[in-house]
Amino acid sequence: MTHPTNRIFSGIQPTGNLHLGNYLGAIRNWVGMQKDYECIFCIVDMHAITVPQDPAALRQSTREVTAAYIASGIDPDECVIFNQSTVSGHAELAWILGCHAPMGWLNRMTQFKEKAGKKRDQAMIGLYSYPVLMAADILLYKATDVPVGEDQKQHLELARDIAGAFNRFYDVEYFPLPEPRIFGTATRVMSLRDGTAKMSKSDPSDMSRITFTDDADAIAGKIRRAKTDPEPLPSEAAGLEGRPEADNLVGIYGALAGQTVDEVLAEFGGKGFADFKRGLSDVAVQVLSPITAEMQRMLADPAYVDSILHKGYERANAIAAPNLAEVKELVGFLAR
Ligand code: AMP
Ligand code: TRP
């Protein structure tokens, strides 16, 4: 079997509130990989409906994530950009892989446990089997590398396990085992209100995150009101230990400015948070404003955004369809 040697697949759910964690932990890293890899970037709308979504908002968020990818520097001529539900192979492969994934493996997924909470019996099957769909997303394209934030590492290990189980069962080296690519800085951006909680789309407080719809004033306001502690900033990284809010803000500064934590602290060590937050607002606005402005410009022309997705669908499906046909053949499904 032939495998592509370097094909990337990654995705973001169109569930609104796209935030700085998505940018620093995911999208920004993808931009730099376009030259060296064949890239497929998906807007995973089928994952989005694992929790309730308003249909009109889902459509709008799908366009927003698409525009955010492009505004952040992903080239739609080079990369495949499409929404998951348009390529039916994702659902079909997910079914087949689900028949090779023991429940015991899925029971270990911490994200399901967190999202389902105590009411496990009321959680939807889709939320439970979400990591199988994610494995299908990646394996449908025989992707070799998957750039994601730290929170997705467990799901990727499961995708590798499922790929291995499939290969062993049918006694072929069909799927390559996808490598997680988790980048050094800002793999886990934390909430501005609580340095121990992940910055997330679903946090009820909008003050907890900087989003792609915030203008310069909103960004500055959120940073000014971000939780801190009363001590000045330390002069070296070791001094951030036990200070999650300070650690998070310094990490964000470094990721935005392209500096190491030590470099940031060399500049701000010994200073109070008022000074530091002014500096942080400045870099955040400098980096994000051009992106969000371009995104809004694109969203004013939804037909353009939709045309990108349509072209992406055609290119994605052209890779997916023959792979799915091979999988069906291996499984023993009689072709029409
Ligand atoms: P999601 O918002 O769950 O669809 O996540 C989309 C991508 O953003 C995934 O690669 C996540 O790992 C990444 N991501 C989400 N939240 C964060 C965060 N707070 N810090 C770093 N990366 C994140
Ligand atoms: N589950 C991922 C998240 O919530 C999104 C996702 C779906 C994904 N399918 C994927 C990421 C495939 C990488 C590869 O962030």
Side-chain angles (χ1 to χ4, degrees), residues 63-87:
R63 292 192 178 112
E64 277 176 18
V65 176
T66 309
Y69 284 179
I70 300 168
S72 300
I74 291 172
D75 179 350
D77 292 324
E78 286 293 323
C79 305
V80 176
I81 300 175
F82 76 109
N83 56 317
Q84 186 184 27
S85 61
T86 57
V87 177

Side-chain angles (χ1 to χ4, degrees), residues 140-315:
L140 184 57
Y141 301 92
K142 298 186 179 178
T144 54
D145 296 81
V146 182
V148 281
E150 186 74 38
D151 60 333
Q152 294 300 318
K153 196 167 169 209
Q154 196 186 31
H155 291 158
L156 264 168
E157 279 159 8
L158 183 78
R160 289 169 63 89
D161 289 343
I162 294 176
F166 182 97
N167 289 349
R168 273 192 307 282
F169 187 83
Y170 295 102
D171 197 21
V172 279
E173 278 304 304
Y174 188 71
F175 293 122
L177 303 189
E179 287 293 335
R181 299 287 302 268
I182 294 162
F183 288 81
T185 57
T187 53
R188 210 168 145 77
V189 177
M190 308 310 274
S191 158
L192 299 180
R193 307 300 303 164
D194 173 0
T196 63
K198 193 179 80 160
M199 185 178 286
S200 137
K201 291 171 180 162
S202 54
D203 191 313
S205 166
D206 193 52
M207 295 303 287
S208 69
R209 60 186 161 250
I210 293 172
T211 73
F212 275 68
T213 50
D214 287 338
D215 60 18
D217 284 347
I219 293 174
K222 285 178 180 179
I223 291 175
R224 213 176 319 114
R225 288 161 65 186
K227 187 175 169 200
T228 52
D229 57 41
E231 303 296 320
L233 284 157
S235 319
E236 26 193 274
L240 291 169
E241 213 160 298
R243 300 178 64 185
E245 283 80 19
D247 188 30
N248 184 40
L249 294 180
V250 169
I252 292 174
Y253 188 107
L256 286 168
Q259 293 179 356
T260 64
V261 166
D262 285 323
E263 285 167 346
V264 178
L265 293 178
E267 188 177 343
F268 290 100
K271 293 192 180 153
F273 276 102
D275 277 346
F276 174 69
K277 284 178 164 181
R278 263 192 297 279
L280 179 57
S281 290
D282 289 346
V283 279
V285 169
Q286 213 171 47
V287 173
L288 296 175
S289 291
I291 297 175
T292 56
E294 175 63 10
M295 178 174 148
Q296 294 312 325
R297 202 185 60 75
M298 238 179 286
L299 286 171
D301 183 4
Y304 169 73
V305 177
D306 293 0
S307 73
I308 300 275
L309 290 174
H310 185 79
K311 190 176 72 178
Y313 148 72
E314 287 176 336
R315 291 169 66 193

Side-chain angles (χ1 to χ4, degrees), residues 310-333:
H310 185 79
K311 190 176 72 178
Y313 148 72
E314 287 176 336
R315 291 169 66 193
N317 200 50
I319 304 170
N323 286 349
L324 185 68
E326 285 173 358
V327 169
K328 287 180 170 178
E329 163 82 26
L330 284 170
V331 170
F333 291 159

Side-chain angles (χ1 to χ4, degrees), residues 10-15 18-27 30 44 111 115 130 147-152 186-190 198-201:
S10 197
I12 292 185
Q13 302 187 48
T15 45
L18 202 62
H19 56 73
L20 186 65
N22 298 131
Y23 179 68
L24 294 177
I27 305 175
W30 305 352
V44 288
Q111 194 178 81
K115 286 196 179 175
Y130 159 130
V148 281
E150 186 74 38
D151 60 333
Q152 294 300 318
T187 53
R188 210 168 145 77
V189 177
M190 308 310 274
K198 193 179 80 160
M199 185 178 286
S200 137
K201 291 171 180 162

